[in-house]
Amino acid sequence: MEELIRESLFGIRAIQVDGGSEFYADFELGCKEYSIKLFCLPPRSPKLNAVVERLNRTYREEFWAGYDGENKLKGDVAGIKGRD
């Protein structure tokens, strides 16, 4: 959190998250420590975060479009690549 605040070009007053629990407890404590409001989106509501969801999709598609390396992933690679 300290690095985020230090590197930011503007003051951080609030952060919006999608509710994933990967790091939520520590993140929530960090926001409280620095008096940053934390907004948590309800589950299964991608329309509330449409710009970020679209950006994630674009990154994923562009990565797979330009990746020429050997595929070492197990499972359904077509599904991972977002292809039918």
Side-chain angles (χ1 to χ4, degrees):
M1 185 67 74
E2 290 176 17
E3 183 178 352
L4 174 65
I5 292 169
R6 185 176 56 252
E7 296 293 326
S8 179
L9 299 176
F10 48 87
I12 300 172
R13 297 182 300 179
I15 296 175
Q16 177 175 297
V17 296
D18 66 2
S21 61
E22 299 87 17
F23 58 90
Y24 191 75
D26 293 334
F27 193 72
E28 184 178 18
L29 289 174
C31 287
K32 284 182 182 180
E33 180 180 342
Y34 290 97
S35 300
I36 296 172
K37 292 180 184 178
L38 182 60
F39 297 97
C40 186
L41 297 174
R44 294 173 293 285
S45 57
K47 290 182 180 181
L48 296 176
N49 209 18
V51 173
V52 173
E53 296 294 337
R54 178 61 184 153
L55 185 61
N56 285 334
R57 177 180 170 189
T58 300
Y59 286 151
R60 189 171 45 251
E61 289 174 350
E62 288 180 0
F63 170 81
W64 286 112
Y67 181 71
D68 291 328
E70 181 182 344
N71 181 4
K72 297 180 181 180
L73 298 174
K74 295 180 180 181
D76 181 11
V77 176
I80 293 170
K81 290 183 178 183
R83 300 179 188 157
D84 293 327

